[in-house]
Amino acid sequence: METINNFDKYDFPLDVLWLDIEYTSERKWFTWNATSFPDPVELLEWVDSQAHRKLVPISDPHIKIDFEYNIYRELLENDYFVLDSEGRAPFVGECWPGNTSWVDYFNPAAREYYGKLHLYKNFPSTPALGGFWNDMNEPTLFDNLYERTFPFDLIHYGGVRHRDVHNIYGMLQTMSTHAGLIERDNGTLRPFILSRAYFAGSQRYANKWSGDNMGRFDDLRFSIPMALTSNLVGLAFYGADIPGFFAGATEELLIRWYELGIWLPFFRAHAANGTPRREPFLFGNETQEILRDHMKLRYKHLPYWYTVFYEHTVTGDPIVRALLYQYPEDPVGYDLNDEFLIGSDILVASVYESEATSVQVYFPDSTDFWYQITGEGYKFFEGSTWAEIPVNMTYIPVFYRSGSIIVRTTSTGRSSAYNREASLELHVVPDRENNAVTRLYIDDYESFDYVNRKEFYYVELNYQFDGEDHLTVTDLDEESIPGDVEFPSIDTVHIYERRDDGVTVKTLTEDRNGNKLSAINLFKQKKLL
């Protein structure tokens, strides 16, 4: 409660607090530490009342050996554990609770049992417990004799040796967690699951983070090719712990990691027990201002992010993209893994060296311009060129592609729930023919009505200039029925214009007849300018 109140006091947006292993009673999953959480339901109701925020607890696949722990007893009685190499008894190893055994998710009945542990009647909570975090599921144990994972001759359900199915184990845990969360909320809410292990197909059940990284500039650098590779193979909701899990990151590294981390799909700060506290409100005013500005910049771009996420589910295109994916005919992009695209229209160049004062940036596609939106003043750069871009501690280089319209919220609030009610602003970046286009997807952000009832908006916004500004909207899915989903008002249109001496931005809040843009229902009238 104190942490959430401090995020509000110091004006930092916040959606989720993560509960690591000590929230449990003696590291027994699906229990609460009664000292820290005497009334978890009451606490979760309070968390929900604070701008619909969430808690997400960790849950590992190993189970503490304790005959007073009913989950252990029931798993043992039903033969739901992974067996030793002779198939006679549950395998026993050491992990966080001490001596433990592991759920055998290859057994369909064990998966069903594990899934039902997530039900409210079995684990007191509310929907404000916004999902689960499946960790240590490679699987991991502490004994170096086994290279910190299962011996390969352990036996799974059906007599299968672990050596033949090792990489699938973690995915089966997330599948079980997913099924349990679907049942928990009667199929009304989309499950959220974070997993450390994954396999082909894991993206159907969980998103991914890079695991226990270090607070070093090299680890910041490596987070980009890791995210791009993960996106290329289909697991797109990916990110790295900010500013490194182990070791105490310097304040400079913390700033740089926030500046870059806001542009990866999964955005979380997380640290090992014993490392210095690093909530953003604990730093000096200058650092706070930088972190606050960047966190809010991410939140302002959530309409753009949400559309790219939706389109990924339809097309399979990565959310964050290596240049080689978007521009396969450009050979330069094949050698670059320190700059990347979000969707097709935002280009980010990472800064991963201490005391950097500039960074070399390549701009793809000779038909495009790229408009820098961070730093002092707007600048534009021709495609198929390199440029040395100055940087200081307050920003890294970020660019909008010509021919695009970037949809942003006009303001941010305490959480992403605020953004659902916020009005929009359009950043129009015309191409050489003075045209620009984008797509916008909106639904209720939490249910399956977008699938089951086709309740969503999916539209194309099209800008043209022929001496006057024109902006129209076209439905992209004629079968969609928005239902209770509201199309937000568009308050402001910013039009970027190239000049010999740089870039100017024309801001419109009224149409040519003097009507406030915010008063025009763009979805119904199909025309804004």
Side-chain angles (χ1 to χ4, degrees):
M1 293 172 72
E2 179 183 355
T3 300
I4 287 175
N5 287 333
N6 275 324
F7 268 85
D8 288 339
K9 176 181 177 180
Y10 292 94
D11 193 25
F12 289 100
L14 172 71
D15 268 80
V16 174
L17 287 182
W18 301 81
L19 304 181
D20 214 315
I21 58 178
E22 305 302 349
Y23 81 92
T24 63
S25 173
E26 300 178 334
R27 299 176 179 179
K28 301 173 184 176
W29 316 121
F30 305 102
T31 68
W32 291 99
N33 179 329
T35 301
S36 300
F37 300 93
D39 191 336
V41 170
E42 181 182 15
L43 175 66
L44 285 162
E45 289 173 348
W46 180 85
V47 169
D48 181 65
S49 74
Q50 305 302 301
H52 299 293
R53 289 172 170 132
K54 311 290 184 186
L55 300 183
V56 173
I58 200 168
S59 176
D60 296 355
H62 53 263
I63 303 296
K64 180 180 177 70
I65 296 176
D66 183 344
F67 283 93
E68 294 184 357
Y69 180 25
N70 68 305
I71 292 176
Y72 171 74
R73 290 198 315 272
E74 291 171 357
L75 287 164
L76 183 66
E77 291 167 0
N78 288 284
D79 297 323
Y80 288 164
F81 283 123
V82 178
L83 301 179
D84 61 23
S85 59
E86 296 180 354
R88 295 179 179 176
F91 170 72
V92 176
E94 184 183 0
C95 209
W96 290 121
N99 284 340
T100 65
S101 293
W102 276 258
V103 180
D104 187 0
Y105 299 106
F106 289 86
N107 184 335
R111 288 202 303 271
E112 182 179 2
Y113 173 86
Y114 186 83
K116 289 184 181 299
L117 295 176
H118 299 81
L119 302 184
Y120 295 124
K121 66 180 181 180
N122 295 325
F123 185 43
S125 57
T126 77
L129 199 80
F132 272 79
W133 166 20
N134 290 162
D135 193 16
M136 306 290 284
N137 55 351
E138 290 78 15
T140 298
L141 50 88
F142 289 164
D143 194 335
N144 274 322
L145 175 66
Y146 303 129
E147 297 183 341
R148 294 193 173 227
T149 192
F150 281 172
F152 277 7
D153 58 355
L154 297 190
I155 297 177
H156 291 280
Y157 176 77
V160 176
R161 294 283 178 179
H162 183 70
R163 65 168 58 90
D164 297 319
V165 293
H166 175 79
N167 290 349
I168 306 175
Y169 184 84
M171 182 181 73
L172 293 179
Q173 185 196 14
T174 62
M175 188 193 319
S176 305
T177 303
H178 187 275
L181 291 175
I182 289 285
E183 185 176 355
R184 182 192 81 162
D185 294 300
N186 299 314
T188 61
L189 298 179
R190 308 174 207 170
F192 176 89
I193 302 166
L194 178 68
S195 177
R196 196 166 78 179
Y198 67 110
F199 186 68
S202 289
Q203 68 273 13
R204 291 175 291 172
Y205 310 110
N207 62 303
K208 175 80 171 69
W209 96 106
S210 62
D212 296 344
N213 54 357
M214 298 289 291
R216 303 178 301 199
F217 272 94
D218 276 349
D219 286 63
L220 170 63
R221 178 183 184 179
F222 297 148
S223 67
I224 301 308
M226 291 173 74
L228 297 179
T229 301
S230 184
N231 268 257
L232 282 172
V233 300
L235 208 141
F237 199 168
Y238 185 97
D241 286 341
I242 300 171
F245 179 73
F246 288 119
T250 65
E251 197 162 329
E252 178 193 19
L253 176 58
L254 174 125
I255 291 171
R256 287 299 189 208
W257 215 314
Y258 268 86
E259 290 173 344
L260 184 63
I262 67 165
W263 299 109
L264 292 182
F266 181 61
F267 175 56
R268 176 179 85 156
H270 182 46
N273 220 353
T275 54
R277 294 289 292 266
R278 72 272 302 265
E279 289 92 340
F281 51 77
L282 295 177
F283 296 90
N285 290 338
E286 185 175 348
T287 295
Q288 280 196 40
E289 183 177 0
I290 296 170
L291 301 183
R292 184 182 299 110
D293 288 346
H294 281 82
M295 292 169 73
K296 289 189 174 186
L297 188 61
R298 177 182 178 87
Y299 274 67
K300 286 183 178 179
H301 282 86
L302 287 181
Y304 180 86
W305 278 107
Y306 202 68
T307 300
V308 175
F309 265 74
Y310 168 72
E311 293 182 335
H312 164 74
T313 70
V314 176
T315 66
D317 285 331
I319 292 170
V320 291
R321 303 174 188 177
L323 268 60
L324 64 88
Y325 184 89
Q326 192 69 27
Y327 300 100
E329 304 301 323
D330 190 335
V332 177
Y334 284 75
D335 295 322
L336 296 177
N337 61 13
D338 54 2
E339 57 183 86
F340 60 95
L341 296 156
I342 301 143
S344 60
D345 298 336
I346 299 178
L347 175 68
V348 178
S350 58
V351 177
Y352 49 80
E353 294 180 347
S354 180
E355 299 181 353
T357 57
S358 65
V359 60
Q360 288 284 331
V361 178
Y362 178 71
F363 300 97
D365 196 345
S366 60
T367 64
D368 285 333
F369 294 101
W370 296 89
Y371 290 73
Q372 186 173 350
I373 63 157
T374 55
E376 298 179 359
Y378 294 103
K379 302 173 185 177
F380 73 91
F381 301 86
E382 293 271 1
S384 296
T385 63
W386 286 88
E388 184 168 352
I389 308 297
V391 297
N392 60 40
M393 284 304 300
T394 66
Y395 70 95
I396 64 173
V398 179
F399 310 86
Y400 290 163
R401 184 183 63 82
S402 65
S404 69
I405 301 173
I406 307 299
V407 183
R408 297 167 41 165
T409 60
T410 54
S411 58
T412 61
R414 298 163 65 195
S415 72
S416 63
Y418 174 90
N419 286 55
R420 304 176 191 181
E421 309 298 329
S423 58
L424 303 179
E425 61 183 23
L426 307 182
H427 290 249
V428 178
V429 190
D431 61 17
R432 297 176 190 274
E433 284 74 42
N434 285 318
N435 300 321
V437 66
T438 195
R439 295 171 301 278
L440 177 64
Y441 175 83
I442 301 168
D443 61 22
D444 67 11
Y445 303 99
E446 55 187 18
S447 80
F448 286 102
D449 287 349
Y450 77 102
V451 174
N452 299 331
R453 302 173 65 176
K454 298 280 285 185
E455 290 192 359
F456 60 84
Y457 290 101
Y458 185 40
V459 299
E460 181 178 274
L461 301 171
N462 197 298
Y463 170 86
Q464 295 178 320
F465 181 79
D466 59 3
E468 291 184 331
D469 301 299
H470 301 276
L471 186 70
T472 56
V473 62
T474 305
D475 298 335
L476 291 175
D477 191 321
E478 295 181 354
E479 296 181 2
S480 64
I481 305 171
D484 294 333
V485 179
E486 294 186 7
F487 196 89
S489 68
I490 297 175
D491 287 0
T492 313
V493 178
H494 303 281
I495 302 171
Y496 294 57
E497 299 178 338
R498 297 188 304 277
R499 296 287 186 266
D500 292 339
D501 56 350
V503 177
T504 61
V505 178
K506 178 173 65 175
T507 297
L508 303 178
T509 58
E510 299 178 344
D511 67 11
R512 63 179 63 92
N513 297 318
N515 301 310
K516 289 284 187 182
L517 299 184
S518 57
I520 300 173
N521 188 319
L522 182 56
F523 183 76
K524 292 182 178 179
Q525 297 182 216
K526 309 298 184 186
K527 186 173 182 180
L528 188 66
L529 297 173

